[in-house]
Amino acid sequence: MRWSKPKNRYMADPILEVRNLTKRFGDFTAVQDLTFEVEPEEVFGFLGPNGAGKSTTIKMLCGVLTPTAGQARALGFDLFIEADRVRQQIGYMSQKFSLLDDLTVTENLAYFGQLYGLQGAQLKDAIQQRVRELQLKPLVDLLVAGLSTGEKQRVALASSTLHRPRMLFLDEPTSGVDPLRRRLFWEAMDDLVKGGMTILVTTHNLGEADQCDRLAFIMAGRLMAYGKPRKLKEDLGRQVIEVRTEQFRELQRATREVPGIIASELMGRGVRLSLPAEAQAGPVLAALRQRGFAFEASAPELPSLEDLFIDLVQQSRTSGRGN
Ligand SMILES: Nc1ncnc2c1ncn2[C@@H]1O[C@H](COP(=O)(O)OP(=O)(O)OP(=O)(O)O)[C@@H](O)[C@H]1O
Ligand SMILES: [Mg+2]
């Protein structure tokens, strides 16, 4: 085990190491044997269908839930045994974050700052800095109850980072946020990472997942895929071609008889064809044209994270482990 390895926290050791993490609620196993590492100053994405165990994992790592089994080491300390020594270095924005509706933005920040042990001038400075960085100035004196979802999310991000944690856990921070504010939120996260923070973030948005340095896909509590987005796509061993035609349903049916097509799926008014990564697309498209179809085909490209996601869900269904 790597636990015994001598540690220098300032070298490129993982900032978080999770080993065989497991959580059972009665007979139900929500998280099973999860093992992964997060590198310093990366944005690590956590993906998976509803109920996969993402929030449960984060809650264990933030000390909100007690694990049934497994270990985790963060910033050189055992997260479950030496929790007190790391707590100050960890920030957590929960999926159902709870700001205090009847307080103003500043009052909320002061309240959460105090929970993290900040006081006096230190607290005031931290609030000013976060207000500036997250462009909250116009909101400071407003009651949280009246803010939009995107504004609340920014205030919640500010409140979970007032103490400048080195490791930040964000559980679906951008759900319900419009594309522009989503982008601004990711820019704010980027700034935090440039300032030395490491972020573990869950999302259902595969565009966001694509921006992560590395990803973990979990399904039914198990780790199904893990690595850089590009590598995960390459590992699927396929290329994808989008075919546009009026006869998309007929063409999709016909693909079953064309050799060299691994899979085909209807997508809008087109068909998404998967071929082996090394295959030539020409003969396959020619075979479809010979069957009387007229269509436009995109250039072959790497599969998307959506392809990977669908693949994994289908795999877990066939193995009877889907959720
Ligand atoms: N306190 C609890 N008691 C019993 N079961 C629970 C408890 N908390 C979570 N679960 C179950 O554990 C599973 C994982 O839940 P979790 O909230 O971790 O999923 P998730 O991946 O975060 O899903 P989502 O994408 O919907 O947020 C679910 O089936 C959930 O019902
Ligand atoms: Mg969740």
Side-chain angles (χ1 to χ4, degrees), residues 54-55 95 171-172:
K54 303 179 297 294
S55 297
Q95 187 169 356
D171 197 357
E172 288 193 42

Side-chain angles (χ1 to χ4, degrees), residues 192-213:
L192 293 173
V193 169
K194 283 194 194 108
M197 221 175 267
T198 303
I199 298 180
L200 187 151
V201 58
T202 68
T203 178
H204 286 291
N205 182 299
L206 299 176
E208 289 185 348
D210 244 323
Q211 295 176 50
C212 292
D213 296 301

Side-chain angles (χ1 to χ4, degrees), residues 25-26 28-31 48-57 59 65 95 171-172 202 204 218 323:
F25 295 108
F28 176 72
T29 305
V31 173
N50 295 126
K54 303 179 297 294
S55 297
T56 305
T57 303
K59 285 181 196 162
L65 271 180
Q95 187 169 356
D171 197 357
E172 288 193 42
T202 68
H204 286 291
I218 65 168
N323 46 4

Side-chain angles (χ1 to χ4, degrees), residues 239-304:
Q239 52 183 320
V240 174
I241 298 171
E242 277 181 34
V243 168
R244 305 241 138 237
T245 169
E246 296 284 302
Q247 306 156 282
F248 52 94
R249 285 202 184 82
E250 294 81 356
L251 186 141
Q252 200 244 346
R253 270 197 295 276
T255 57
R256 290 178 207 148
E257 295 147 25
V258 176
I261 299 179
I262 306 174
S264 69
E265 276 172 66
L266 288 177
M267 215 177 81
R269 301 180 69 79
V271 185
R272 209 164 155 77
L273 304 179
S274 289
L275 316 186
E278 68 286 356
Q280 292 296 323
V284 169
L285 298 177
L288 284 170
R289 288 204 168 93
Q290 265 170 16
R291 284 172 162 74
F293 292 106
F295 56 81
E296 278 176 37
S298 72
E301 54 186 45
L302 263 186
S304 62

Side-chain angles (χ1 to χ4, degrees), residues 98-112:
S98 37
L99 296 167
L100 304 164
D101 264 357
D102 48 358
L103 297 185
T104 66
V105 168
T106 306
E107 287 163 349
N108 264 274
L109 294 177
Y111 173 78
F112 286 102

